[in-house]
Amino acid sequence: MLKPFEQAIYVTSPFLPPYEEFAKGIKEIWENKWLTNNGPIVKRFEKRLEEYFDNKNICLFNNGTMALQIALQGLGLSGDVITTPFSFVATTHALYWNKLYPVFSDIEEDYFTLDPKKVEEKITPWTTAILAVHVFGHPCKLDELQAIADKHKIKLIYDAAHSFGVRVNDKSIDKFGDISMFSFHATKLFHTFEGGMLSFKNRNLKKKLNYLKNFGFEGQFEVVMPGTNAKMNEIQALMGLAVLEYMDEIIKKRKKIYNIYRTRLKEIPGIITVKEHSNNVVYNYAYLPIRINEADYGISSFDLFEKLKEYNVFTRKYFYPLIPDFSCYKSLQIVDELTVARKVAEEILTLPIYPDLALDDVHKICNIIEEIRKKKKI
Ligand code: T4K
């Protein structure tokens, strides 16, 4: 048996900029004595992101979940929203907190994003929006979803939590739909400890989003709407500014790891890698999802998940169970059998990928996956 890793290998590990660089910024915060409430570093970070995305219509938040909740509130939606069952639970929670009813619709098998045909079948007079997820950074079927939204005059919202840096047809992913949410959580390829961002089509939304994330205050003596507290703070913005400098390097390193995995894993019977992206997509290598075909591999994704722990490798089954299967959403009426989503959730396993993961260790993880299969097949 191959020797287990001496140190645990997790599904991800956050990129950290050189400590001295970050410490310089902390000194600035100490000198400013300005910690939150739209401080100078948050303003600087917002400017840098406007340049990065070439988009003035952005707004920063304390985390992605609050950003998504406020996006829905900002659009003033009510009624039903068609969404995916195959995502992090925060996608649906954001609907819940806005009293919107989630209508779960099945995904397509190549990239695990909403299947547009299934979406259109579910539109009723009560449908006010589609909430789609570029899951693992895989772009949704953008044109098809937009055509449906236009035809039925409903909003198209993207949970782009995983999609920082993704481009389609030479256009950054923030430019699609009515509004997109990016998560800057520590586990994401771009992060600010915790954090989030909205990008939106209608520039008039910015004022409202700014109200909503700051209690609804307009100046010191007026509150114009029941907002909440969802502001990014100075230390988060400092991390963002520092990490942004390394984005190209981060994506390059991830790409190398991604390609090794794909080349190696394709050779192992029963391991299914995600379909190659077409030439018009610039991917960000945010996650490394594979599917396990139990009949060909010998054991299920659940067993492989457990077996890998014996080698000190801690994978995740993002996103199992499906959101409607969590006890808190079990009572919702389900109008779709979610056949593809159920199959994908059963078979999925997300492997470790992060810039500091040594290429030799990637090979070793592949060797282990090979070894586990051989043992089962003998
Ligand atoms: N929409 C989608 C599609 C999302 O995926 C998410 C978040 C959201 C919305 C909401 O955005 P945020 O409000 O979070 O900004 C993690 C993250 O907490 C969550 O942000 C993320 N999605 C989700 C997919 O993954 P867990 O419960 O798996 O995290 P945890 O703590 O188990 O971390 C995973 C591994 O990462 C650990 O085993 C070790 C490593 N790790 C983690 C942290 C926090 C570190 O090495 N250092 C760290 O600081 O949810």
Side-chain angles (χ1 to χ4, degrees):
M1 173 174 153
L2 286 160
K3 270 196 14 233
F5 284 98
E6 272 173 27
Q7 279 194 342
I9 305 246
Y10 294 108
V11 71
T12 191
S13 171
F15 171 84
L16 291 175
Y19 179 75
E20 290 69 29
E21 249 173 58
F22 192 68
K24 253 192 246 163
I26 295 183
K27 193 153 182 274
E28 185 188 337
I29 296 176
W30 254 243
E31 285 162 5
N32 291 342
K33 288 203 168 183
W34 196 278
L35 309 186
T36 185
N37 291 5
N38 206 19
I41 302 179
V42 165
K43 283 184 186 146
R44 211 188 305 153
F45 180 43
E46 192 173 82
K47 267 225 123 8
R48 278 289 290 115
L49 284 175
E50 282 177 10
E51 288 161 12
Y52 183 88
F53 286 105
D54 191 19
N55 187 354
K56 289 234 175 258
N57 295 344
I58 61 166
C59 190
L60 296 174
F61 293 86
N62 57 346
N63 61 55
T65 304
M66 288 308 295
L68 189 57
Q69 253 174 250
I70 289 178
L72 300 165
Q73 199 182 346
L75 292 174
L77 298 174
S78 59
D80 295 355
V81 175
I82 299 173
T83 190
T84 172
F86 187 74
S87 181
F88 191 58
V89 71
T91 310
T92 299
H93 284 343
L95 296 172
Y96 172 88
W97 286 105
N98 278 280
K99 298 189 166 59
L100 291 161
Y101 195 87
V103 177
F104 294 105
S105 191
D106 210 355
I107 57 174
E108 42 79 29
E109 197 149 357
D110 291 339
Y111 301 109
F112 322 135
T113 64
L114 271 179
D115 179 343
K117 283 191 287 310
K118 295 281 196 149
V119 169
E120 184 146 34
E121 283 167 9
K122 293 185 187 66
I123 293 192
T124 70
W126 292 275
T127 311
T128 55
I130 301 165
L131 171 54
V133 180
H134 303 305
V135 69
F136 304 133
H138 306 158
C140 291
K141 307 256 182 243
L142 302 163
D143 293 344
E144 279 124 297
L145 289 177
Q146 191 60 61
I148 296 168
D150 290 345
K151 182 171 157 196
H152 298 276
K153 298 189 172 48
I154 58 177
K155 298 288 180 199
L156 178 55
I157 301 143
Y158 285 115
D159 177 334
H162 305 166
S163 311
F164 198 96
V166 172
R167 297 179 71 81
V168 180
N169 293 332
D170 216 18
K171 213 162 123 180
S172 171
I173 198 79
D174 61 293
K175 309 285 188 316
F176 295 88
D178 291 286
I179 196 157
S180 297
M181 179 280 281
F182 294 82
S183 164
F184 298 165
H185 184 263
T187 54
K188 300 296 182 292
L189 84 163
F190 173 78
H191 77 94
T192 60
F193 291 94
E194 294 252 13
M197 184 187 99
L198 292 178
S199 65
F200 38 92
K201 196 156 43 182
N202 176 357
R203 70 190 162 95
N204 298 327
L205 251 188
K206 175 133 185 170
K207 202 171 168 185
K208 190 170 183 190
L209 297 173
N210 279 335
Y211 286 144
L212 286 171
K213 73 176 178 186
N214 188 29
F215 312 100
F217 268 113
E218 185 178 70
Q220 287 181 18
F221 302 110
E222 177 60 304
V223 172
V224 293
M225 57 188 77
T228 183
N229 181 1
K231 291 166 274 126
M232 179 172 275
N233 67 43
E234 291 289 274
I235 201 100
Q236 290 176 297
L238 185 64
M239 182 59 97
L241 279 168
V243 178
L244 200 55
E245 292 300 310
Y246 294 88
M247 260 339 270
D248 290 348
E249 203 179 302
I250 291 170
I251 291 181
K252 254 191 222 150
K253 283 188 174 166
R254 285 176 167 274
K255 184 176 178 179
K256 269 196 188 156
I257 294 169
Y258 186 90
N259 286 338
I260 293 175
Y261 269 129
R262 282 181 72 85
T263 315
R264 293 283 318 272
L265 296 174
K266 258 194 258 172
E267 302 301 317
I268 305 177
I271 303 284
I272 308 159
T273 54
V274 171
K275 189 178 160 190
E276 195 102 23
H277 288 284
S278 51
N279 288 338
N280 65 336
V281 173
V282 177
Y283 185 49
N284 64 0
Y285 312 96
Y287 288 84
L288 201 298
I290 56 170
R291 288 166 62 188
I292 318 299
N293 178 315
E294 188 175 347
D296 294 338
Y297 184 72
I299 56 172
S300 70
S301 67
F302 297 92
D303 294 335
L304 179 57
F305 168 83
E306 291 300 331
K307 275 266 159 230
L308 284 168
K309 287 186 193 166
E310 294 171 17
Y311 294 84
N312 227 354
V313 178
F314 295 86
T315 60
R316 296 300 285 263
K317 273 189 63 69
Y318 295 136
F319 289 100
Y320 172 88
L322 296 181
I323 299 174
D325 291 341
F326 284 122
S327 58
C328 90
Y329 289 123
K330 266 225 154 103
S331 60
L332 292 178
Q333 194 200 347
I334 300 296
V335 293
D336 189 320
E337 305 229 319
L338 308 173
T339 318
V340 179
R342 288 204 184 288
K343 182 162 183 270
V344 171
E346 288 286 321
E347 295 180 348
I348 203 87
L349 197 66
T350 41
L351 300 182
I353 183 166
Y354 49 89
D356 288 339
L357 183 59
L359 302 186
D360 283 348
D361 290 347
V362 180
H363 279 290
K364 184 167 167 180
I365 295 170
C366 295
N367 293 342
I368 291 171
I369 295 174
E370 230 163 30
E371 177 172 277
I372 293 171
R373 176 178 187 273
K374 277 185 193 143
K375 279 193 186 159
K376 283 290 146 189
K377 283 285 171 184
I378 288 165

